[in-house]
């Protein structure tokens, strides 16, 4: 390897003598730079927390930090709270920041998720997240942390969900260039149903000379529905994965709203009894291996795969499986079988990515999806269990 392929890391900073010439070398530079940045952020976190601890007047801490870093006092306040949480309640997350496994933004997802918890519960979540951070994007880390919050504090999670529903609101934020943003804070089930209806109508309008993009169609359909210029032509379904014992009130295991994450048992029972829901059960005796006898999986097998995966299996993607494709991991054309072990839920975008040159997808006996990129990078994802074991 010549000098152009060399990137040295010295005292947490990059001191490379030049950018590498290969694609894999450039990816290494990106990764090393990210690690160096994360380590520097860990130094800053400790300094901010120490400064706040030593300051005689807590009221002026954020103001002085804001002046020193040329940022707003609001952001400085968040930085101080973030630093204090990491150094006092989340030692494992801080250690991951030290080693470059996460950056400060990813760490903030754990800080935010554990904010409502007691110190004891927050530390339990922090310990449970060890080994769950590497290779995950911020959204996936937040969702994993929320799962652990539900595990350690199920009653608190259920009560917070009740209170948050009371805070629903709509806001209008004016932007530049004659545009505005409409923000609706809604219960997750309601928001999911609204988006599903808008999305389904928008998709029916594509083709036939339609020049608008799907995003533009969604925006126009949403506006037309709100203004009464369009009636809802389609029936909307909200998919919730919940155990029969939970529906019966035997236990209070959290349910799963695909694309969102855990929801409390009381909400699952509410949806089942008050929203005209159609309950579907997954039959455990479903035939899961049809070999080479047919290409398309029967409805029962497709349903089983969708329930197993719940979301697109691409790492970092949380598109619900019921609006995703059921794909043969080992291509049918190359001898792949129609079986549960060889069927994977992928959203349309990542289904198409799989078919691009150099991309290779495979599953193992444990159900994990393994992905090899054109540059030889390896990534994997395993479906989250519906009811993870408590972290202690």
């Amino acid at each position: 390897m010549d000098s152009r392929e060399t990137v040295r890391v010295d005292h947490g900073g990059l001191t490379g003598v030049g950018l590498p010439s290969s694609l894999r070398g450039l990816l290494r530079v990106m990764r090393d730079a990210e690690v160096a940045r994360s380590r520097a952020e860990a130094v800053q976190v400790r300094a901010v927390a120490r400064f706040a601890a030593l300051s005689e007047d807590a009221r002026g801490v954020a103001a002085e930090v804001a002046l020193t870093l040329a940022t707003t006092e609001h952001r400085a306040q968040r930085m101080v709270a973030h630093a204090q949480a990491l150094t006092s309640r989340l030692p494992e997350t801080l250690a991951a920041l030290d080693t470059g496994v996460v950056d400060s933004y990813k760490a903030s997802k754990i800080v935010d998720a554990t904010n409502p918890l007691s110190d004891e519960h927050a530390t339990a979540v922090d310990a449970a997240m060890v080994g769950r951070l590497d290779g995950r994007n911020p959204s996936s880390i937040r969702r994993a942390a929320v799962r652990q919050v539900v595990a350690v504090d199920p009653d608190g999670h259920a009560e917070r969900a009740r209170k948050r529903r009371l805070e629903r609101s709509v806001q209008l934020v004016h932007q530049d260039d004659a545009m505005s943003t409409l923000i609706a804070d809604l219960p997750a089930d309601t928001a999911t149903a609204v988006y599903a209806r808008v999305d389904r109508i928008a998709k029916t309008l594509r083709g036939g000379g339609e020049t608008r993009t799907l995003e533009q169609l969604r925006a126009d359909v949403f506006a037309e529905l709100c203004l009464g210029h369009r009636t809802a032509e389609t029936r909307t379904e909200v998919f919730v994965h919940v155990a029969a014992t939970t529906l019966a009130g035997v236990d209070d295991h959290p349910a799963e709203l695909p694309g969102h994450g855990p929801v409390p048992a009381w909400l699952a029972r509410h949806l089942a009894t008050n929203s005209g829901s159609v309950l579907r059960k997954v039959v455990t005796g479903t035939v899961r291996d049809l070999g080479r006898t047919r290409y398309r999986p029967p409805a029962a097998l497709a349903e089983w795969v969708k329930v197993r995966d719940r979301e697109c299996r691409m790492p970092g993607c949380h598109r619900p499986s019921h609006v995703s494709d059921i794909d043969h991991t080992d291509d049918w054309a190359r001898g792949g079988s129609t079986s549960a072990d060889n069927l994977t839920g992928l959203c349309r975008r990542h289904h198409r990515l799989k078919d691009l040159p150099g991309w290779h997808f495979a599953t193992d006996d444990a159900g994990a999806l393994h992905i090899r990129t054109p540059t030889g990078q390896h990534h994997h994802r395993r479906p989250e269990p519906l009811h993870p074991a408590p972290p202690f």
Side-chain angles (χ1 to χ4, degrees), residues 1 6 27 33 36 75 79 98 100 102 106 117 127 139 144 147 171 178 206 213 235 237 249 261 280 286 326 364 374:
M1 183 180 295
T6 301
L27 289 173
R75 181 170 181 271
M79 290 178 66
D98 273 324
V102 298
K106 291 178 180 178
L117 302 182
S139 177
R147 287 182 185 279
Q171 302 174 51
R206 291 185 298 180
T213 66
R235 180 175 179 272
E237 293 182 314
R280 301 176 185 173
T286 298
I326 301 296
D364 62 22

Side-chain angles (χ1 to χ4, degrees), residues 30-353:
M30 297 179 205
R31 185 174 58 246
D32 290 345
E34 186 75 1
V35 169
R37 182 171 66 85
S38 298
R39 289 174 172 172
E41 287 176 334
V43 173
Q44 186 182 64
V45 161
R46 284 192 167 86
V48 170
R50 184 66 173 158
F51 179 79
L54 294 176
S55 296
E56 295 181 359
D57 188 351
R59 295 173 298 178
V61 170
E64 192 156 6
V65 170
L67 289 170
T68 300
L69 301 180
T71 189
T72 64
E73 287 196 30
H74 177 71
R75 181 170 181 271
Q77 288 171 348
R78 284 188 56 83
M79 290 178 66
V80 172
H82 176 80
Q84 290 173 327
L86 285 174
T87 54
S88 64
R89 292 167 28 117
L90 305 172
E92 298 294 347
T93 304
L94 181 56
L97 187 63
D98 273 324
T99 56
V101 173
V102 298
D103 60 18
S104 189
Y105 180 64
K106 291 178 180 178
S108 74
K109 299 303 178 180
I110 302 176
V111 172
D112 293 343
T114 56
N115 266 340
L117 302 182
S118 66
D119 289 349
E120 180 183 2
H121 281 158
T123 301
V125 171
D126 181 55
M129 291 299 293
V130 174
R132 299 172 182 264
L133 300 174
D134 196 16
R136 292 199 180 205
N137 65 23
S139 177
S140 296
I141 288 175
R142 178 189 62 80
R143 293 161 64 87
V146 169
R147 287 182 185 279
Q148 297 306 320
V149 168
V150 174
V152 304
D153 186 27
D155 294 339
H157 173 256
E159 183 59 28
R160 287 190 293 274
R162 292 182 189 276
K163 291 180 178 179
R164 285 295 302 275
R165 292 172 84 87
L166 301 177
E167 299 172 2
R168 55 193 183 274
S169 65
V170 175
Q171 302 174 51
L172 176 64
V173 180
H174 293 296
Q175 308 289 359
D176 297 331
D177 303 317
M179 293 292 287
S180 296
T181 299
L182 194 62
I183 302 171
D185 278 331
L186 299 170
D189 52 294
T190 303
T192 299
V194 170
Y195 183 85
R197 174 165 290 180
V198 169
D199 182 62
R200 185 169 296 184
I201 296 174
K203 287 177 178 176
T204 66
L205 300 177
R206 291 185 298 180
E210 176 60 65
T211 59
R212 288 174 291 179
T213 66
L214 184 57
E215 289 295 335
Q216 290 171 337
L217 286 168
R218 288 191 187 110
D220 293 346
V221 167
F222 177 75
E224 290 165 3
L225 287 171
C226 287
L227 295 172
H229 298 164
R230 174 186 292 275
T231 57
E233 299 94 335
T234 61
R235 180 175 179 272
T236 301
E237 293 182 314
V238 175
F239 288 76
V240 180
H241 299 276
V242 58
T245 52
T246 302
L247 279 181
V250 176
D251 58 55
D252 285 320
H253 288 310
E256 180 88 7
L257 186 64
H260 173 78
V263 295
W266 67 260
L267 178 55
R269 290 192 283 264
H270 171 78
L271 292 174
T273 57
N274 295 286
S275 60
S277 302
V278 176
L279 299 180
R280 301 176 185 173
K281 66 178 180 179
V282 179
V283 181
T284 57
T286 298
V287 176
R288 300 183 190 178
D289 192 342
L290 297 166
R292 297 280 299 169
T293 60
R294 59 186 291 179
Y295 170 71
R296 293 191 179 279
L301 177 56
E303 186 84 358
W304 190 91
V305 171
K306 289 179 179 180
V307 170
R308 178 199 68 191
D309 291 355
R310 300 200 298 279
E311 297 175 345
C312 172
R313 293 290 300 280
M314 187 74 173
C317 183
H318 302 290
R319 184 90 172 150
S321 60
H322 62 267
V323 292
S324 297
D325 298 337
I326 301 296
D327 179 55
H328 290 77
T329 308
D330 291 331
D331 289 340
W332 171 268
R334 298 175 183 172
S337 64
T338 300
S339 65
D341 291 340
N342 192 45
L343 293 173
T344 304
L346 293 172
C347 71
R348 183 60 54 87
R349 180 175 60 179
H350 292 125
H351 187 174
R352 289 172 175 168
L353 178 69

